Amino acid sequence: MTPLDKALRRELTIGEQAYTLTIDPNGLKLVEKGRRNGVEVRWADLVSGDAGVAAALQASTAKD
């Protein structure tokens, strides 16, 4: 296996909207292309099952 020691960025399309997915040693972040803020999930939250709670909390406090 190759260790994840630096950020890996990829573009993906969901429906007709483009997003940037960044995977790094701390977790992953999905951001609408051209924006700065998005949904961020830490690996520890994902493993412990708290990822849904963390994503919901971020969404509820997000400002557009």
Side-chain angles (χ1 to χ4, degrees), residues 38-42 45-46 48-61:
V39 178
E40 192 168 351
V41 179
R42 295 180 327 144
D45 294 338
L46 189 63
S48 70
D50 292 336
V53 174
L57 179 60
Q58 279 187 354
S60 69
T61 59

Side-chain angles (χ1 to χ4, degrees), residues 11-45:
E11 182 179 324
L12 63 123
T13 304
I14 301 173
E16 294 186 11
Q17 184 61 45
Y19 291 87
T20 300
L21 175 66
T22 304
I23 303 171
D24 65 23
N26 298 319
L28 57 91
K29 185 173 184 179
L30 184 64
V31 180
E32 187 176 340
K33 189 148 184 169
R35 305 271 183 168
R36 291 179 183 244
N37 298 323
V39 178
E40 192 168 351
V41 179
R42 295 180 327 144
W43 297 123
D45 294 338

